[in-house]
Amino acid sequence: MKRVAALAGVGVVLLGTAIVLELGGVAPRAELWSGAGAGVVFLLALALAPAAAPRRSAVRARLLAAAGIAALIAVAALWQESRQPAPEVLLLLIPVALLFATAGLALREAALERRRARLREAGSRLDGAEAERRRWARELHDDTLQELAAVQVLLATPTGVADAREIVGRQIQSLRRLIAQMRPLALDALGLAAALEDLARNARDRDGVDVEVAVDGLPRLPATVETAVYRIVQEALTNAVRHAGGGRVRIEATTHGPAVRVLVRDDGPGAPPAGFKAGHGLLGMQERAELLGAELFVGSAPSGGTVVRLELQAQAAQEM
């Protein structure tokens, strides 16, 4: 996108020059070359602009509209240069009109695509929230509720108090872990680094997996950004524990110049685990990364195992 932005800047300068010359009514030949040059530059930027994301589709539509304006000014300058009352050059207005029509259709399609993306995102969030509710319901039913029923039975016997106290203690710890998964207190109080340490500690205690955390120079980020990063790491860690088939996971959060890089790497076979391809785990991670304007990679690490890499610009994150 940097090359597209640079070309668009050049096109704006040329287009501005052509407009000034048109308003002044002088130097039609210079106006012609400025307008034509602006149109060519905008079309070149259009050819280089990616069209995958809805926002980029809107950029392409605006470039197309700017090319149409530049072409219109070039046609007007060519008419002035020809010094004829009704020259055949006016036929060039036909492709200019087509450019404007195409730009209008592209803008409309980009708006529709943005709306569809918002609907998909909202649906994914609802599905993810519903999946979390189902998981919490299973944990509360299969673990907490069953053991509380056992406590009720034990308390009915003369010698069951000690066993009941042990079960209640286990459930207190289980409920604390569940509450921490819903909203980690460390994230609000101490920041992302402490929350990642807490996440790793819970995974070690609950799943018996060796989880190592390395945090270096990680700045405090806005709460919404830290929450999104935490959820991405949480999902990556959950998939590594459940699907990767390894015994060790390493979480890294470091700064590289203006960028913040977060890695979750396991020592499994190396292909992206099947859990990433099912359900809403990977989709939720991708959507959170897109909302942050960050880059997300999921694949095999060169040294083996599966790696999830998130990279975002610290300055842009601070402004969110």
Side-chain angles (χ1 to χ4, degrees), residues 43-96:
L43 290 175
L44 182 58
L46 177 67
L48 295 176
R55 293 178 184 175
R56 293 175 179 175
S57 297
V59 170
R60 290 170 60 87
R62 293 188 185 99
L63 288 172
L64 192 57
I69 294 171
L72 182 61
I73 292 175
V75 170
L78 187 58
W79 186 3
Q80 295 174 27
E81 181 69 13
S82 66
R83 298 178 181 177
Q84 296 181 20
E88 294 181 357
V89 73
L90 289 182
L91 293 175
L92 293 174
L93 290 176
I94 296 175
V96 172

Side-chain angles (χ1 to χ4, degrees), residues 13-22 25-38 70 73-78 80-81:
V13 172
L14 291 172
L15 181 58
T17 302
I19 291 173
V20 170
L21 292 172
E22 171 65 22
V26 296
R29 181 167 297 182
E31 178 187 338
L32 168 63
W33 284 108
S34 297
I73 292 175
V75 170
L78 187 58
Q80 295 174 27
E81 181 69 13

